Amino acid sequence: MNVAQGDLKNEQVKKHEFLKDMYEDDYFPKILVDKGKVILINLCLQIESDKPSCLDELYTLSHAATEKFNDLGAEFDDMGSEIETAARESIGADFEFIAKTYGFDADTEELIAPREW
């Protein structure tokens, strides 16, 4: 699915620079960071369309997005990179930003609980 941040309804999310630290670090292939950004935008679109009413519903959505990052990890490995400490922090911070922006006081570790990175 080809998505753009402009498709989002939430103005804060539209303006947010997803994975900013990863884009600024040449260690991370931009094409793969772009794929990670799409995962996060899709999570936002899903939150906007499904309108989760509780943390459990949000965690279901965030866990599915986390598993997509797990799959993306192999592509980073194939390109001589990896989802390591700096990437984990950047990705986790964006999951936390998304939850807060949509009105949830979520535990960041729980948002990304199924992570393999």
Side-chain angles (χ1 to χ4, degrees):
M1 179 178 181
N2 190 8
V3 298
Q5 244 169 299
D7 296 335
L8 296 164
K9 294 179 180 97
N10 184 294
E11 289 301 319
Q12 280 183 284
V13 176
K14 275 185 179 183
K15 296 175 186 172
H16 185 71
E17 292 182 59
F18 287 108
L19 305 177
K20 183 177 190 259
D21 294 337
M22 292 178 72
Y23 276 113
E24 293 175 351
D25 189 333
D26 290 336
Y27 178 68
F28 304 110
K30 301 301 179 249
I31 191 165
L32 298 182
V33 180
D34 288 344
K35 288 183 177 185
K37 180 179 176 179
V38 168
I39 292 169
L40 294 170
I41 292 170
N42 280 331
L43 172 59
C44 294
L45 288 168
Q46 196 163 16
I47 291 169
E48 289 182 0
S49 68
D50 293 0
K51 298 179 180 23
S53 60
C54 65
L55 280 175
D56 286 340
E57 291 175 4
L58 176 67
Y59 291 146
T60 297
L61 299 178
S62 70
H63 290 176
T66 301
E67 289 170 6
K68 291 176 184 169
F69 271 103
N70 289 345
D71 295 341
L72 191 57
E75 291 185 56
F76 275 92
D77 291 341
D78 291 344
M79 294 187 78
S81 184
E82 67 178 311
I83 300 178
E84 43 72 79
T85 304
R88 280 192 297 272
E89 289 176 5
S90 183
I91 296 165
D94 279 340
F95 271 89
E96 182 178 18
F97 166 80
I98 290 167
K100 284 183 179 178
T101 302
Y102 286 103
F104 291 95
D105 184 20
D107 178 89
T108 304
E109 287 303 313
E110 183 56 34
L111 285 168
I112 56 174
R115 74 180 169 93
E116 297 171 358
W117 28 272

